[in-house]
């Protein structure tokens, strides 16, 4: 499969999932608003959704792909079966622990939600939604195996089921039932677990259909390789989902502010659209390529590939971050301000979104550069970089929360993303796996010039545009995109040879 076809398939699947996620969150806001019940539901939904997004964006790939790619096909299939069996048993045991200890977990997730039974609601929604973790983790392992064979269709389309199922549940609840907010949230939590089971069934069908077999089931065998895979799984998940973990820590702090959890959740969902695309492309396409180059000893080729990937990532993330900062208020109003979601909630969400979007380029840089650490198996360095970012997030969020509230907490997340990117770059440089070249510096400078032109155009257009509705927001987005495209070609940030290079075979 050519690079353009595989990139488009993975990219379109990721974008479609994020678009459905947008629709889902718009309906969340309409159905639940941003009050105590919404805070309780979103605090409980945060942990399983965190796992779903980390593993769905290839969070286990850094542990699986380099190890399995070194094995013969038959042995790799047997090891894959062992991985699925052992992970399945471990996840079932973990789910049992969570079901029993949901009250304690609720306090950990949202220590500030302790009034009027809100913490009890967090525990209930956690029990109902946590089983999705088993399904999506096993589905992610299956997706990694399919990606190794170059089978991207099922892995790109299966994640759509979760958001699609929740949208269907929201539509049915809103149209056919008149339920209290707490009961609506309970049905949604249960629906998420059912949707995760359907996703697992789709990936399983693709695995069983593929020939030669990618998975060979037997009684799981404990081996040094299996031990290394399991030990690598945790740091791989933490390093791959660093930004989501930063947000989880920020949500715990935000729970002490009224509607803080909800504002942070809705804002982060908007910011995650471009970031999630970069994560999916990096884990599914860039990581396998870098792993092959590392096995061949092509260290200079790894550095060059990273630089070219950074150029492409910043070409997308820099304008996205700038546009989200500028359009935060109209975007928040158009997307969420309806039903139980009030104007004050839209204003608070917009301020949080603007603060979060400042960290988008840094989060994207860390996502791309981390792939080299994953490819060469340097998961400890990737884990330490994530810990640096987490510590910075917590310290900055606490320090800025008192004068700025949830907006300061969001700024703390952006500072954590900056520290994470810097730590990853330092680790790569220390291992001799990355060195920025002149071409990267020139391309980034040209991209920044194009982003500046787009930003000035958007600011001028907003001064001339009446109060933003859906039509005017769409016009601003499309106009900004067109202006950025023209500026990118004018400054040389994008050239005709870039389009030609996409058609080369992977």
């Amino acid at each position: 499969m050519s690079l353009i076809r595989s990139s488009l398939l993975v990219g379109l699947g990721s974008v479609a999932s994020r678009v459905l996620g947008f629709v889902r969150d718009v309906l969340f806001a309409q159905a639940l608003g941003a009050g105590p019940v919404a805070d309780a539901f979103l605090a409980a939904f945060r942990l399983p959704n965190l796992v779903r997004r980390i593993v769905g964006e290839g969070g286990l790939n850094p542990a699986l792909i380099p190890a399995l790619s070194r094995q013969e096909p038959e042995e790799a299939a047997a090891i894959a079966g062992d991985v699925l069996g052992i992970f399945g048993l471990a996840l079932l045991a973990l789910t049992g622990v969570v079901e029993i200890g949901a009250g304690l977990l609720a306090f950990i997730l949202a220590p500030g939600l302790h009034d009027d039974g809100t913490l009890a609601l967090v525990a209930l929604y956690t029990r109902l939604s946590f089983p999705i973790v088993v399904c999506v983790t096993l589905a992610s392992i299956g997706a990694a195996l399919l990606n190794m064979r170059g089978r991207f269709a099922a892995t790109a389309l299966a994640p759509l089921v979760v958001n699609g199922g929740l949208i269907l549940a929201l539509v049915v609840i809103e149209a056919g039932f008149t339920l209290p907010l707490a009961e609506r949230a309970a049905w949604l939590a249960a629906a998420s677990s059912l949707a995760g089971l359907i996703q697992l069934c789709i990936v399983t069908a693709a695995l069983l259909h593929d020939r030669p077999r990618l998975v060979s089931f037997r009684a799981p065998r404990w081996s040094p390789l299996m031990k290394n895979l399991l030990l690598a799984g945790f740091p791989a998940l933490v390093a791959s989902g660093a930004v989501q973990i930063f947000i989880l820590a920020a949500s715990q702090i935000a729970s002490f502010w009224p509607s803080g959890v909800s504002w942070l959740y809705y804002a982060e969902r908007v910011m995650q659209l471009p970031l999630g695309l970069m994560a999916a492309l990096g884990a599914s396409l860039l990581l396998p390529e870098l792993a092959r180059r590392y096995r061949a000893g092509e260290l200079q080729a790894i550095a060059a590939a990273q630089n070219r990937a950074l150029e492409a990532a910043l070409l997308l993330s820099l304008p996205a971050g700038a546009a989200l900062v500028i359009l935060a208020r109209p975007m928040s109003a158009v997307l969420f301000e309806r039903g139980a979601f009030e104007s004050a909630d839209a204003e608070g969400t917009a301020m949080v979104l603007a603060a979060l979007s400042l960290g988008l380029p840094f989060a994207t840089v860390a996502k791309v550069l981390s792939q080299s650490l994953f490819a060469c198996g340097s998961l400890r360095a990737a884990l330490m970089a994530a810990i640096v970012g987490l510590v910075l997030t917590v310290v900055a969020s606490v320090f800025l929360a008192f004068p700025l509230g949830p907006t300061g907490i969001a700024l703390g997340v952006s500072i954590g993303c900056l520290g994470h990117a810097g730590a990853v770059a330092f680790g790569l440089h220390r291992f001799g796996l990355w060195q920025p070249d002149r071409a990267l510096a020139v391309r980034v400078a040209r991209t920044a010039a194009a982003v500046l032109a787009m930003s000035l155009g958007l600011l001028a257009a907003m001064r001339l545009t009446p109060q933003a509705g859906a039509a005017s927001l769409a016009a601003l987005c499309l106009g900004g995109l067109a202006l950025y495209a023209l500026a990118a070609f004018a400054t040389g940030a994008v050239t005709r040879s870039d389009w030609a290079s996409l058609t080369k075979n992977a």
Side-chain angles (χ1 to χ4, degrees):
M1 180 179 286
S2 69
L3 179 60
I4 184 64
R5 288 179 60 193
S6 55
S7 297
L8 283 175
L9 188 57
V10 174
L12 288 175
S14 179
V15 169
S17 179
R18 293 309 183 279
V19 170
L20 287 179
F22 264 142
V23 176
R24 178 202 71 191
D25 293 327
V26 167
L27 294 176
F28 275 172
Q30 179 177 330
L32 303 178
V37 171
D39 280 353
F41 173 77
L42 295 175
F45 191 62
R46 171 71 68 184
L47 183 59
N49 200 43
L50 166 70
V51 176
R52 183 179 74 85
R53 284 184 5 222
I54 291 176
V55 299
E57 292 171 0
L60 287 171
N61 290 14
L64 288 171
I65 289 178
L68 293 181
S69 63
R70 292 190 290 266
Q71 307 299 318
E72 294 298 325
E74 291 186 2
E75 182 63 18
I79 294 173
D82 293 345
V83 171
L84 285 169
I86 292 176
F87 265 89
L89 293 173
L91 288 167
L92 286 174
L94 175 63
T95 301
V97 172
V98 169
E99 296 297 319
I100 295 171
L104 176 61
L105 182 60
F107 178 76
I108 295 173
L109 290 173
L113 300 180
H114 51 74
D115 297 327
D116 302 325
T118 308
L119 205 60
L121 290 178
V122 178
L124 171 64
Y125 302 150
T126 298
R127 290 189 174 97
L128 292 173
S129 62
F130 196 83
I132 192 179
V133 170
V134 180
C135 300
V136 298
T137 303
L138 296 179
S140 176
I141 295 173
L145 301 175
L146 291 168
N147 287 344
M148 288 179 60
R149 186 68 63 83
R151 304 290 189 265
F152 297 105
T155 61
L157 299 178
L160 304 180
V161 171
V162 174
N163 286 333
L166 284 170
I167 290 171
L168 179 61
L170 280 160
V171 170
V172 170
I173 290 172
E174 285 290 291
F177 301 92
T178 303
L179 297 175
L181 289 180
E183 292 185 24
R184 291 184 189 180
W187 280 105
L188 291 175
S192 67
S193 292
L194 177 60
L197 178 60
I198 297 173
Q199 177 185 346
L200 176 59
C201 291
I202 293 173
V203 174
T204 301
L207 282 173
L208 296 177
H209 182 266
D210 204 44
R211 293 292 184 273
R213 288 191 303 173
L214 285 168
V215 179
S216 177
F217 288 104
R218 63 188 182 186
R221 300 179 183 178
W222 188 255
S223 65
L225 177 59
M226 178 61 61
K227 179 181 178 181
N228 291 336
L229 279 175
L230 292 176
L231 291 177
F234 175 74
L237 285 174
V238 172
S240 297
V243 176
Q244 288 91 335
I245 293 173
F246 300 166
I247 296 289
L248 178 63
S251 296
Q252 294 174 294
I253 301 170
S255 67
F256 290 94
W257 275 261
S259 301
V261 173
S262 299
W263 292 352
L264 184 60
Y265 175 86
Y266 294 123
E268 182 249 349
R269 293 300 297 145
V270 178
M271 189 268 283
Q272 279 288 344
L273 177 61
L275 182 60
L277 174 61
M278 289 298 100
L281 290 173
S284 299
L285 300 176
L286 183 59
L287 176 57
E289 176 66 18
L290 292 175
R292 287 192 293 269
R293 292 184 183 275
Y294 184 78
R295 290 197 309 275
E298 302 173 357
L299 298 185
Q300 290 185 346
I302 288 179
Q306 287 280 38
N307 284 326
R308 304 295 77 78
L310 274 177
E311 291 174 5
L314 290 173
L315 189 68
L316 297 175
S317 63
L318 282 174
L324 288 176
V325 171
I326 295 170
L327 300 177
R329 183 60 179 92
M331 191 171 290
S332 177
V334 170
L335 288 175
F336 303 120
E337 192 177 334
R338 61 180 58 82
F341 200 89
E342 300 176 352
S343 177
D345 297 319
E347 180 67 32
T349 301
M351 295 177 66
V352 173
L353 173 58
L356 274 182
S357 300
L358 294 174
L360 177 58
F362 305 116
T364 303
V365 167
K367 285 283 186 183
V368 173
L369 290 181
S370 294
Q371 303 309 313
S372 281
L373 292 175
F374 297 152
C376 67
S378 299
L379 295 178
R380 181 179 178 182
L383 177 62
M384 293 306 299
I387 292 175
V388 169
L390 178 60
V391 171
L392 282 174
T393 295
V394 172
V395 172
S397 295
V398 171
F399 181 77
L400 295 173
F402 290 100
L404 300 176
T407 303
I409 297 171
L411 282 173
V413 175
S414 292
I415 293 171
C417 291
L418 171 61
H420 180 218
V424 171
F426 175 79
L428 283 174
H429 184 72
R430 186 163 62 91
F431 288 122
L433 292 175
W434 179 63
Q435 179 68 41
D437 55 22
R438 183 177 182 277
L440 173 63
V442 171
R443 186 68 67 99
V444 171
R446 291 174 175 175
T447 299
V451 171
L452 178 60
M454 179 203 73
S455 301
L456 293 174
L458 280 177
L459 290 171
M462 287 186 67
R463 292 179 64 89
L464 301 174
T465 303
Q467 185 174 2
S472 58
L473 177 60
L476 286 169
C477 291
L478 293 175
L481 178 61
L483 179 58
Y484 176 67
L486 291 174
F489 275 104
T491 60
V494 175
T495 64
R496 292 185 179 182
S497 62
D498 295 328
W499 296 104
S501 66
L502 286 175
T503 60
K504 294 180 181 179
N505 288 336

